[in-house]
Amino acid sequence: MWQLFKTVRLALPVITLGLFSVSLHAQIDKQIPRPKKYLQAAVYDSAAGIKMYEKLNVALGGDSVRYTIKGYACTDWVDDFYENGQLLHHGYYVQGQLKTYKNFYDNGQVERHFRLLTLSSYQMTLYWLNGKVRSDVAYVDGQANKTSEYYENGNAEFFEEYSKKNDYLVTRKFFFENGWPQRSTELLDAKRRRYQFKEFHENGQLEEEGILIYHRDVDDLIKDGTWKTYDETGKLILIQEFSVGQLSSEKKM
């Protein structure tokens, strides 16, 4: 009888220690930060896409630093996930800032891809949810040098290109959603910064054409020389004369 009681008493500390160990592990487990998981509705903006990582992209002017759970600046590849388990972000970090990365929609489709081309040039491509390209931008020394944007149906919406040193515009074009040209500005003379401008009606007919020149005082392109306006049938209806942005005469046809 005494032996049985003694055995039970010896076993009690072991049982108590086991319960204490389980409790301690549970408390510690609650204190460990867990990687956050996301919902697409919380991270996606219909106008800008998934832009939450742009503040970490030093090449595009971002100045924020990402830290690990332990408080160190992120280095190497880092992944973030949606609540459904799909990959949201796959990025390579150096001292907490992004160097190259891809973001994804919660269906697995790529939302954007940023990559370095050279030490001073890089490219960002955005995609619509249907997989078609939304925009494609080539950057040089932190500035957009060549930009292409597209409607969700895949047709071109906008195109713009600057000189190699980004010091003047080379071409700028807008398009209607059906693919027809809307207006264009094309460089004619780089030294004098003279451009040919054209605007079109939605039916494809030319609406207006003339010369634009760069004016340093207003830092913009202004009308110069002869400008012509047409109706939707292509008939010439107005001729205007400009001198450095000022209308000097006009003639209705």
Side-chain angles (χ1 to χ4, degrees), residues 59 99-100 114-119 121-123:
K99 297 301 179 181
T100 184
F114 178 84
R115 62 271 193 199
L116 296 173
L117 301 178
T118 67
L119 291 176
S121 64
Y122 24 92
Q123 192 158 2

Side-chain angles (χ1 to χ4, degrees), residues 162-186:
Y162 285 84
S163 64
K164 291 182 179 180
K165 294 183 179 180
N166 274 339
D167 53 351
Y168 61 87
L169 178 71
V170 173
T171 183
R172 180 183 291 139
K173 298 179 180 180
F174 293 86
F175 301 86
F176 292 108
E177 195 165 354
N178 61 10
W180 286 354
Q182 184 177 18
R183 61 181 179 273
S184 65
T185 305
E186 298 276 1

Side-chain angles (χ1 to χ4, degrees), residues 4-226:
L4 178 61
F5 180 72
K6 184 177 182 181
T7 302
V8 172
R9 288 188 61 191
L10 288 173
L12 281 175
V14 176
I15 295 173
T16 304
L17 182 61
L19 291 174
F20 174 76
S21 178
V22 171
S23 176
L24 180 61
H25 279 296
Q27 291 177 27
I28 293 175
D29 190 61
K30 289 180 180 179
Q31 294 173 8
I32 297 175
R34 298 301 180 190
K36 184 177 180 180
K37 292 190 175 182
Y38 301 84
L39 289 172
Q40 182 169 297
V43 300
Y44 178 74
D45 180 272
S46 59
I50 302 172
K51 61 178 183 178
M52 60 189 286
Y53 297 96
E54 302 311 287
K55 62 186 178 182
L56 298 165
N57 188 341
V58 64
L60 296 185
D63 58 2
S64 296
V65 175
R66 180 170 183 171
Y67 295 93
T68 66
I69 291 174
K70 295 182 179 180
Y72 301 105
C74 290
T75 298
D76 211 340
W77 292 99
V78 177
D79 293 338
D80 292 321
F81 295 87
Y82 288 104
E83 288 190 357
N84 66 1
Q86 287 283 2
L87 186 64
L88 162 63
H89 171 77
H90 178 63
Y92 187 79
Y93 290 78
V94 175
Q95 295 182 344
Q97 294 187 315
L98 275 170
K99 297 301 179 181
T100 184
Y101 60 101
K102 285 184 178 181
N103 294 342
F104 300 83
Y105 293 103
D106 63 4
N107 66 355
Q109 165 63 43
V110 177
E111 185 270 339
R112 71 185 56 199
H113 182 195
F114 178 84
R115 62 271 193 199
L116 296 173
L117 301 178
T118 67
L119 291 176
S120 61
S121 64
Y122 24 92
Q123 192 158 2
M124 173 79 86
T125 306
L126 273 66
Y127 298 85
W128 292 101
L129 187 57
N130 61 15
K132 294 183 182 296
V133 175
R134 180 171 182 168
S135 68
D136 194 28
V137 184
Y139 293 88
V140 176
D141 294 327
Q143 294 183 315
N145 180 259
K146 187 182 294 186
T147 302
S148 299
E149 296 180 359
Y150 302 86
Y151 292 102
E152 199 165 356
N153 63 10
N155 288 336
E157 180 179 7
F158 173 76
F159 176 77
E160 183 177 73
E161 182 178 2
Y162 285 84
S163 64
K164 291 182 179 180
K165 294 183 179 180
N166 274 339
D167 53 351
Y168 61 87
L169 178 71
V170 173
T171 183
R172 180 183 291 139
K173 298 179 180 180
F174 293 86
F175 301 86
F176 292 108
E177 195 165 354
N178 61 10
W180 286 354
Q182 184 177 18
R183 61 181 179 273
S184 65
T185 305
E186 298 276 1
L187 181 66
L188 296 175
D189 185 339
K191 186 176 180 179
R192 298 175 61 191
R193 301 290 196 272
R194 296 178 70 251
Y195 297 83
Q196 175 69 55
F197 176 86
K198 292 183 179 181
E199 187 158 12
F200 299 84
H201 293 286
E202 289 190 39
N203 64 2
Q205 290 286 348
L206 182 62
E207 180 179 0
E208 187 178 30
E209 63 177 343
I211 299 298
L212 293 171
I213 60 173
Y214 175 74
H215 197 290
R216 190 179 301 276
D217 290 345
V218 296
D219 192 26
D220 203 357
L221 299 176
I222 59 176
K223 291 183 177 182
D224 191 55
T226 302

